[in-house]
Amino acid sequence: QVQLVESGGGLVQAGGSLRLSCAASGRTYSRYAVGWFRQAPGKEREFVAAINWSYADSVKGRFTISRDNTKNTVYLQMNSLKPEDTAVYYCAADLAGIATMYSYEYDYWAQGTQVTVSS
């Protein structure tokens, strides 16, 4: 069993920055693929980024995903935030270690953290 715990969401003005963290239990976390997704009100969950793989076009150049294996934590650094980035953000882990943009491929999910960007 893998438990993922997110932190770092909040309210920020447009143009500002936030860093989300996704901490995991388990000694083999470094072998998992980890992705970030988001879901805005009334919209479907969408892919944001996956470690060592790809970013959604809407966040390229603004968001950076990184991993610290010594802390069992994956980060999502979000810069130049826009009001359209407002959503609940989720990290997820794929035990097969294969990064993908498809949410159904991921095995474990964190609880979600709200990010609100004001204009």
Side-chain angles (χ1 to χ4, degrees), residues 47-107:
F47 170 76
V48 175
I51 194 79
N52 295 331
W53 188 62
S54 184
Y55 295 87
D57 288 343
S58 58
V59 306
K60 277 182 183 176
R62 299 187 299 121
F63 291 12
T64 303
I65 187 171
S66 62
R67 157 177 250 159
D68 185 340
N69 290 331
T70 65
K71 297 181 178 179
N72 265 8
T73 301
V74 172
Y75 302 97
L76 185 68
Q77 177 67 43
M78 305 185 295
N79 298 329
S80 302
L81 282 161
K82 304 175 181 180
E84 51 264 43
D85 294 319
T86 295
V88 177
Y89 283 71
Y90 300 88
C91 67
D94 175 0
L95 301 187
I98 301 172
T100 173
M101 63 182 292
Y102 302 109
S103 60
Y104 59 80
E105 297 280 3
Y106 289 83
D107 303 293

Side-chain angles (χ1 to χ4, degrees), residues 11-55:
L11 173 65
V12 65
Q13 288 188 329
S17 298
L18 283 173
R19 188 177 77 161
L20 306 183
S21 299
C22 177
S25 62
R27 292 175 293 176
T28 58
Y29 186 49
S30 61
R31 297 165 58 183
Y32 304 158
V34 177
W36 287 92
F37 293 78
R38 66 186 182 187
Q39 188 166 17
K43 294 187 177 181
E44 293 187 354
R45 190 169 297 187
E46 65 175 2
F47 170 76
V48 175
I51 194 79
N52 295 331
W53 188 62
S54 184
Y55 295 87

